[in-house]
Amino acid sequence: MKVKYQLLHQDKTARYGTLTTNYGTFETPMFMPVGTQATVKTLDPRELKELSSSVILSNTYHLWLRPGEDIVSKAGGLHKFMNYDGPILTDSGGFQVFSLANPKNISEEGVIFKSHLNGEKLFLTPEKSIGIQNKLDSDIAMSFDECIPYPATYEYAKKSTERTLRWAKRGLAVHQNPNQSLFGIVQGGEYQDLREWSAKETSKLNFDGFSIGGTSVGEDKVTMYKMIEDGIRYLPEDKPRYLMGVGDPIDIVEGVDRGIDMFDCVLPTRLARHGHAFTRDGKINIKNAKYKEDFTPVEENCDCYCCKHYTKAYIRHLIVANETLGQRLLSIHNIRFLIRLTEEIRKSIQENTFKEYKQEFIERYTNNKKA
């Protein structure tokens, strides 16, 4: 089945709704953990379910290179291959491709670039990206787009945005998986008129949902929030809105305030691998000496497995000793932190107290940074 979004309540521009998928119905706003290579780093599917994870992400580019979409298809699709009994979204591979490609190698037909594994010359087109995702059999596939760098000239951004729309039409034309939804992507760089044009034109196409792309690519926060605003106001209210690659706690709160329903980011697991943890009082670095004899949990009142069973002192020991368990425990905490954040946001929207919740959360998170 195609995913279905139902808007149930609004607190001004913040939206509370449900996303119905092949694997059940889930509430939005939601945070989606990233499993780039068909695994959320260091965690297994059972642990993800215990964290109340719903949709998770995998990456088309990485799975195309290894093990290959045909292997995944022979295994019965991505769900069976990775043993995840829940909805999966695959990105188009565009972000990775454009980080590896030179602008001169981007043409109307597609993108020429070199594999990050062995330097092999590769060519990815909208048709190829959609074909790979069809075989991966994810619940949600993403349209192939160009992630415009920041900063970019108006002329470059305009040509790229127009080409992304043409690519979207080509991808729609070859999408053949009846059980898979396809989301369109709004681009436009930092330019208001291009964001508006992209959102309006993409909305005319028969996509099952829409995403805001090209943010969190080096721009300042004010610019990023304006990029969201410039596009989202022109998207249909009856379909899900997804902000790609954004997972900073404050950015999630700000995104919800602007009407975003879905977020994803590698940040919680990446931070964990470097010994950092989210808390209500800001991010902490567990490697700091002050935690050597701290026998309290990473965060008081957190309901995750990490905080219920282990102390900062023990986790610090694991991280300093380069033990994988330390990375696993902090990954569990960080992912649960962002999922709990969206749970609380949903409750505040339903109670029409989101603005108050947002203000209190941001003030505490930014004013009491522990480092």
Side-chain angles (χ1 to χ4, degrees):
M1 61 171 286
K2 303 289 187 178
V3 297
K4 293 180 175 62
Y5 174 77
Q6 185 176 9
L7 176 61
L8 298 176
H9 187 77
Q10 281 189 266
D11 184 359
K12 298 182 174 61
T13 50
R15 292 156 44 105
Y16 167 74
T18 56
L19 187 73
T20 300
T21 74
N22 292 304
Y23 291 86
T25 297
F26 304 91
E27 295 175 294
T28 63
M30 66 167 64
F31 175 76
M32 305 180 290
V34 175
T36 301
Q37 301 186 91
T39 178
V40 176
K41 288 190 184 299
T42 75
L43 304 186
D44 66 37
R46 174 184 52 82
E47 291 168 319
L48 291 170
K49 286 300 184 73
E50 290 174 355
L51 295 172
S52 298
S53 175
S54 52
V55 183
I56 63 170
L57 269 71
S58 284
N59 181 264
T60 295
Y61 163 74
H62 286 282
L63 295 178
W64 174 37
L65 295 191
R66 60 183 180 191
E69 68 273 21
D70 290 331
I71 296 293
V72 176
S73 181
K74 288 177 182 177
L78 197 50
H79 298 85
K80 289 185 178 179
F81 185 60
M82 64 184 292
N83 191 35
Y84 185 69
D85 185 21
I88 299 174
L89 183 153
T90 46
D91 63 13
S92 69
F95 183 83
Q96 287 73 26
V97 166
F98 294 110
S99 68
L100 297 168
N102 295 317
K104 63 183 178 63
N105 292 327
I106 303 172
S107 67
E108 186 67 26
E109 185 59 27
V111 186
I112 298 171
F113 62 103
K114 290 183 178 179
S115 165
H116 75 289
L117 297 176
N118 56 19
E120 177 188 359
K121 186 176 179 181
L122 301 169
F123 186 51
L124 192 59
T125 67
E127 292 82 2
K128 180 66 175 177
S129 173
I130 296 299
I132 295 168
Q133 293 182 80
N134 281 176
K135 287 188 174 182
L136 294 176
D137 199 28
S138 55
D139 300 277
I140 301 172
M142 299 302 300
S143 181
F144 188 63
D145 67 321
E146 178 182 358
C147 184
I148 300 171
Y150 180 87
T153 65
Y154 183 85
E155 291 72 23
Y156 184 98
K158 185 173 187 293
K159 289 180 181 178
S160 173
T161 303
E162 292 171 345
R163 183 171 55 222
T164 283
L165 182 69
R166 294 191 293 271
W167 283 356
K169 294 176 180 178
R170 286 166 55 185
L172 266 173
V174 299
H175 185 249
Q176 297 179 341
N177 188 329
N179 293 316
Q180 183 182 66
S181 297
L182 183 60
F183 281 20
I185 302 176
V186 174
Q187 288 289 350
E190 62 188 285
Y191 302 102
Q192 186 276 329
D193 62 322
L194 297 182
R195 288 272 170 188
E196 177 181 345
W197 180 86
S198 178
K200 287 180 175 178
E201 293 302 312
T202 306
S203 295
K204 294 176 183 178
L205 304 178
N206 190 32
F207 286 114
D208 302 297
F210 298 90
S211 61
I212 305 292
T215 68
S216 196
V217 290
E219 76 279 7
D220 59 85
K221 297 295 187 183
V222 172
T223 301
M224 183 178 83
Y225 301 149
K226 186 175 184 299
M227 286 176 170
I228 299 170
E229 294 168 1
D230 288 343
I232 199 168
R233 62 170 61 100
Y234 304 105
L235 297 179
E237 289 193 350
D238 62 344
K239 291 189 177 181
R241 301 165 173 180
Y242 163 33
L243 183 60
M244 303 174 70
V246 171
D248 177 83
I250 292 180
D251 291 344
I252 288 176
V253 175
E254 293 286 2
V256 169
D257 199 14
R258 289 159 175 80
I260 296 294
D261 306 305
M262 304 163 67
F263 302 84
D264 84 282
C265 195
V266 298
L267 193 60
T269 51
R270 179 176 290 169
L271 288 175
R273 293 195 298 278
H274 292 90
H276 295 270
F278 292 127
T279 78
R280 299 298 166 124
D281 298 305
K283 233 172 14 184
I284 66 170
N285 183 351
I286 208 79
K287 292 180 288 186
N288 284 350
K290 64 181 178 179
Y291 299 120
K292 191 172 184 178
E293 297 183 15
D294 188 333
F295 303 108
T296 63
V298 172
E299 183 167 42
E300 298 287 352
N301 302 317
C302 178
D303 62 4
C304 79
Y305 179 83
C306 170
C307 290
K308 283 183 175 180
H309 296 90
Y310 298 99
T311 66
K312 295 189 192 79
Y314 178 64
I315 297 169
R316 180 186 183 276
H317 157 68
L318 294 176
I319 294 294
V320 171
N322 199 30
E323 288 288 346
T324 305
L325 178 59
Q327 300 173 19
R328 278 174 37 76
L329 292 173
L330 287 183
S331 293
I332 286 170
H333 170 75
N334 285 345
I335 291 175
R336 181 60 189 150
F337 181 91
L338 295 183
I339 290 175
R340 283 182 67 211
L341 174 61
T342 57
E343 290 171 352
E344 293 173 5
I345 286 171
R346 295 196 297 261
K347 186 173 184 290
S348 74
I349 295 172
Q350 291 174 280
E351 295 175 348
N352 296 313
T353 58
F354 172 72
K355 289 291 187 182
E356 293 84 349
Y357 177 87
K358 173 188 171 183
Q359 182 177 350
E360 291 171 6
F361 179 85
I362 291 177
E363 285 180 356
R364 179 173 173 180
Y365 191 84
T366 57
N367 292 339
N368 299 298
K369 288 190 174 178
K370 295 182 178 180

